[in-house]
């Protein structure tokens, strides 16, 4: 039995066997689904760009909308911070604003991707050697 695999807090009754379960497509077209199925469940529990980039930058799995912290919201060092600790330069370059989820996951620590002040404070604390992106967030 699959039982949600390694997805933290996954509920098969609400979300199906996996995030791409056929019930999502049925719900979108008005076709009846299982009575326990909740098409909004995936929005709260499937991976997003914030926590996937965070896992990539830290090696630690975290929750939806979280960056640079663990599941208990404790800061986790990013690869950029590790490089700087070793006396190396560390920076980010992005085609989106630096404080958007994917690039921000390398330079800040927050439990919510839209917490602008916390993102900006974390960026200033991390002090990347170089940062390049589009307009301000």
């Amino acid at each position: 039995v699959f039982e949600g695999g390694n997805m933290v807090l996954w509920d098969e009754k609400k979300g199906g066997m996996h995030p791409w379960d056929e019930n999502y497509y049925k719900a979108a077209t008005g076709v009846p689904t299982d009575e326990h199925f909740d098409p909004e469940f995936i929005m709260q529990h499937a991976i997003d760009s914030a926590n996937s980039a965070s896992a990539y930058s830290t090696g630690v799995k975290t929750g939806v909308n979280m960056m640079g912290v663990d599941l208990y919201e404790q800061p986790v060092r990013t690869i950029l911070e590790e490089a700087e600790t070793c006396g190396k330069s560390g920076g980010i370059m992005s085609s989106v604003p630096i404080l958007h989820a994917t690039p921000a996951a390398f330079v800040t620590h927050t439990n919510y991707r839209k917490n602008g002040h916390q993102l900006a404070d974390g960026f200033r604390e991390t002090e990347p050697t170089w940062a390049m992106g589009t307009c301000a967030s």
Side-chain angles (χ1 to χ4, degrees):
V1 178
F2 184 74
E3 297 184 13
N6 64 354
M7 293 186 292
V8 176
L9 303 174
W10 191 256
D11 182 329
E12 287 182 8
K13 288 184 180 177
K14 291 181 181 177
M17 285 295 272
H18 30 70
W20 54 91
D21 191 274
E22 67 181 66
N23 279 307
Y24 285 101
Y25 305 105
K26 287 180 181 177
T29 59
V31 175
T33 61
D34 182 290
E35 66 181 279
H36 300 290
F37 182 76
D38 178 3
E40 296 297 317
F41 183 79
I42 190 173
M43 301 305 288
Q44 300 168 353
H45 296 285
I47 194 167
D48 67 357
S49 60
N51 64 359
S52 62
S54 182
Y56 187 68
S57 70
T58 66
V60 176
K61 188 172 182 174
T62 192
V64 174
N65 291 318
M66 301 165 87
M67 297 180 287
V69 296
D70 62 19
L71 287 170
Y72 303 101
E73 300 182 14
Q74 298 302 308
V76 180
R77 294 177 62 80
T78 68
I79 192 168
L80 186 143
E81 291 170 308
E82 291 293 340
E84 289 180 334
T85 298
C86 295
K88 307 284 183 188
S89 295
I92 55 174
M93 181 171 148
S94 176
S95 61
V96 299
I98 296 298
L99 297 181
H100 275 209
T102 304
F106 287 81
V107 294
T108 192
H109 307 275
T110 184
N111 63 349
Y112 185 56
R113 69 191 289 163
K114 294 183 181 177
N115 187 340
H117 293 296
Q118 191 175 26
L119 290 169
D121 291 346
F123 180 82
R124 282 191 289 276
E125 289 169 14
T126 302
E127 293 186 78
T129 308
W130 188 76
M132 181 178 167
T134 61
C135 63
S137 293

